[in-house]
Amino acid sequence: MQASRHAAPTSLPIGSDADLAWVRQQVRQAAAELGFGLVQQTKLVTAASELARNTLVHGGGGHVEITPLGLGPSSGLRLAFVDTGPGIRDLDQAMTDGYTSGGGLGLGMSGAKRLVHEFEVHSRPGEGTTVTVTAWAAAVPPSRPGP
């Protein structure tokens, strides 16, 4: 199997509601350019919107890194949402459907996880949070090369 190809990431700030709209637009454009179908684009943009809003509201702002991916003949998109806010004290609780720390429906992170192929969270109280998601243009994500 061919090794993964990684293009340079694009970093976009997340510091205002206007930035949230810009992030959604750029994610949709990148997904379309990589061959994502309309439903796949919508799922990825929805996940990106939720995670960008969390970065702004709960993390005090930050940035997203948008990285086009290739693995063999498949194309994908990796999004890393990074903040230096208060972090997540109880990650298991934060990932539980219905849990909210901000008065919403409590489906932000758990909902975003269901919309992408890969989902990873790294958070330390007082140091911030990074949520990384990956979606593939193919209906089934490609198998990863072995070690």
Side-chain angles (χ1 to χ4, degrees):
M1 177 172 282
Q2 188 178 28
S4 62
R5 304 176 311 269
H6 296 275
T10 299
S11 184
L12 302 175
I14 300 173
S16 69
D17 284 340
D19 291 338
L20 298 179
W22 181 243
V23 166
R24 285 190 299 268
Q25 181 181 0
Q26 293 303 300
V27 168
R28 183 172 300 279
Q29 181 178 336
E33 289 172 1
L34 289 167
F36 282 68
L38 184 57
V39 171
Q40 293 168 307
Q41 289 176 38
T42 301
K43 287 180 177 182
L44 186 56
V45 169
T46 300
S49 183
E50 290 292 335
L51 297 172
R53 179 156 299 285
N54 282 355
T55 300
L56 178 63
V57 172
H58 302 293
H63 69 277
V64 61
E65 292 178 3
I66 302 172
T67 307
L69 302 174
L71 186 61
S74 299
S75 296
L77 200 57
R78 177 170 296 135
L79 309 174
F81 296 86
V82 181
D83 70 62
T84 56
I88 301 171
R89 293 188 197 282
D90 186 339
L91 189 54
D92 289 335
Q93 184 180 39
M95 292 301 298
T96 302
D97 284 349
Y99 172 76
T100 180
S101 62
L105 296 175
L107 296 173
M109 289 206 349
S110 61
K113 181 178 182 178
R114 286 190 293 271
L115 295 172
V116 297
H117 294 110
E118 299 170 32
F119 185 95
E120 213 175 329
V121 180
H122 295 284
S123 186
R124 294 186 70 172
E127 295 182 20
T129 301
T130 299
V131 179
T132 304
V133 298
T134 304
W136 295 96
V140 176
S143 59
R144 294 182 177 181

